[in-house]
Amino acid sequence: MTAGDHKKEDFRKYLEKNGIIDALTRVLVGLYEEPEKPENPLEYLKTFISGPGSATDAEALRVENEELKRKVEELEKKLQAAGITTGAEQTDVGPNGTSSPPPATPPPAGQPENAAVTAS
């Protein structure tokens, strides 16, 4: 075997080991089995490999995220100018995206939990 043959064989093993050959085979078989061939087969291959819209969705999400960050900053400035604090530092956001109130403070020792506290 020549040096070039070794390089080709090593590269083929690399592709096989990392599932590239199987992935490309699945994509090409999927394209072959499409009843109506896509007008843009390269886009079809990209979509098939990366999932529907993943690259464009990611870019759209990045753009939307930047826009929302700017909007939040703008609204916080407006609130600050109006003398209103956001309280964002005090609010915990739960896993489902909803705000949860701060944890309740336990009553002083010796008082029942439902006892009303009165100022003297």
Side-chain angles (χ1 to χ4, degrees), residues 107-108 110-118:
Q111 271 193 344
E113 285 190 36
N114 59 359
V117 176
T118 56

Side-chain angles (χ1 to χ4, degrees), residues 11-12 14-27 49:
F11 187 66
R12 187 194 62 74
Y14 165 78
L15 294 175
E16 192 172 323
K17 177 183 172 189
N18 290 291
I20 305 298
I21 292 175
D22 289 338
L24 289 173
T25 301
R26 282 193 305 272
V27 171
I49 287 175

Side-chain angles (χ1 to χ4, degrees), residues 9-118:
E9 183 62 22
D10 289 345
F11 187 66
R12 187 194 62 74
K13 287 179 182 178
Y14 165 78
L15 294 175
E16 192 172 323
K17 177 183 172 189
N18 290 291
I20 305 298
I21 292 175
D22 289 338
L24 289 173
T25 301
R26 282 193 305 272
V27 171
L28 293 173
V29 168
L31 180 59
Y32 175 79
E33 292 176 346
E34 275 293 319
E36 293 182 28
K37 303 299 180 226
E39 288 185 27
N40 187 345
L42 185 57
E43 193 61 38
Y44 173 88
L45 295 176
K46 289 178 185 178
T47 301
F48 199 94
I49 287 175
S50 65
S54 63
T56 54
D57 287 348
E59 182 58 32
L61 288 173
R62 274 192 284 278
V63 169
E64 182 184 10
N65 189 27
E66 288 304 314
E67 288 173 8
L68 291 172
K69 283 179 181 179
R70 279 191 293 266
K71 188 178 250 184
V72 165
E73 202 172 291
E74 179 184 318
L75 291 172
E76 284 177 343
K77 286 179 183 177
K78 285 182 180 180
L79 286 172
Q80 191 175 23
I84 302 171
T85 59
T86 61
E89 306 82 33
Q90 299 171 354
T91 305
D92 291 332
V93 177
N96 62 358
T98 60
S99 297
S100 59
T105 311
Q111 271 193 344
E113 285 190 36
N114 59 359
V117 176
T118 56

